[in-house]
Amino acid sequence: MTATFTLSIGDTAPDFTLPATDGKDYGLSDFREAKTLVVFFTCNHCPYVIGSNEVTRETANRYIDKGVRFVGINANSVNTKPEDSFDHMVAHMAEHEFPWVYLRDESQEVALAYGALRTPHYYVFNEERKLVYTGRGVDQPRDAGKMTVNDLDNALSALTSGLEINVKVTNPIGCNVKWDGKDAHWMPAEACDLV
């Protein structure tokens, strides 16, 4: 059963206008040349993000030539996690040089529009910007060396080959999004497991 809080398969990608660490603002139209768009909610501090960032990098690089673009969004409240501030994001990208645009969702409106549950939480959209996969990247994001399944790679492999995605929905694994004014472990009442 799919939660109503988060986007469902077939939903259209909500638009946004958000500032990036490269000094520009981005919206969906800035990625219109991409055949596939991966929007994922991420951050600087989460051990599940840190543990799987290099796998995400490898996956992003593997599909660049197939028209896949990655967009990372950090919506965490700086009141809960000061290390997720925009300045820290800029430093984070300068250090790691990840192959994606890294956006700041200060108001958390985009995270709510997508129904971001955890960091990381991946949303894969086809050329029509319809959701074709949502959930985790890998099954062991905290220690990617132990992973046995890369669901994100499987979804992108199928999609870019014109095949049906076998597993369209998984539960994201990671820290919950840090919602402003809430306890660090609070999640919206409507938020629940996707499968």
Side-chain angles (χ1 to χ4, degrees):
M1 179 179 149
T2 302
T4 54
F5 174 73
T6 196
L7 293 177
S8 299
I9 297 301
D11 285 352
T12 301
D15 204 357
F16 51 79
T17 302
L18 295 174
T21 55
D22 64 6
K24 301 174 189 171
D25 288 353
Y26 289 88
L28 281 181
S29 63
D30 292 298
F31 308 100
R32 58 182 166 268
E33 85 290 350
K35 291 181 180 173
T36 302
L37 188 65
V38 180
V39 175
F40 67 109
F41 289 82
T42 184
C43 63
N44 300 332
H45 82 278
C46 171
Y48 296 89
V49 169
I50 293 167
S52 58
N53 264 337
E54 290 308 313
V55 176
T56 304
R57 181 201 301 273
E58 290 166 13
T59 305
N61 283 333
R62 187 175 305 124
Y63 292 99
I64 282 176
D65 290 343
K66 295 188 176 181
V68 180
R69 290 287 303 276
F70 276 61
V71 178
I73 300 177
N74 180 1
N76 278 354
S77 168
V78 294
N79 295 316
T80 309
K81 287 292 177 182
E83 59 267 47
D84 279 327
S85 72
F86 188 75
D87 286 346
H88 282 98
M89 288 171 59
V90 172
H92 193 67
M93 283 298 274
E95 179 185 352
H96 297 286
E97 298 181 338
F98 291 121
W100 50 77
V101 174
Y102 194 17
L103 308 177
R104 177 69 184 146
D105 178 20
E106 190 76 32
S107 71
Q108 302 189 314
E109 289 174 12
V110 179
L112 282 170
Y114 279 74
L117 292 169
R118 301 193 176 274
T119 54
H121 186 167
Y122 298 85
Y123 299 81
V124 178
F125 297 95
N126 65 14
E127 201 159 8
E128 291 76 45
R129 297 301 179 253
K130 301 295 186 185
L131 187 68
V132 294
Y133 173 80
T134 181
R136 68 190 187 186
V138 300
D139 63 340
Q140 297 283 338
R142 193 165 183 148
D143 183 359
K146 295 179 179 175
M147 76 174 182
T148 60
V149 180
N150 186 334
D151 290 287
L152 179 61
D153 183 78
N154 289 344
L156 291 174
S157 177
L159 187 62
T160 57
S161 301
L163 303 173
E164 184 74 13
I165 296 172
N166 288 331
V167 178
K168 297 180 174 72
V169 181
T170 58
N171 288 318
I173 302 171
C175 304
N176 61 295
V177 173
K178 306 307 179 195
W179 299 101
D180 199 38
K182 302 292 185 181
D183 175 83
H185 300 290
W186 181 86
M187 292 184 79
E190 318 85 77
C192 63
D193 285 346
L194 302 184
V195 289

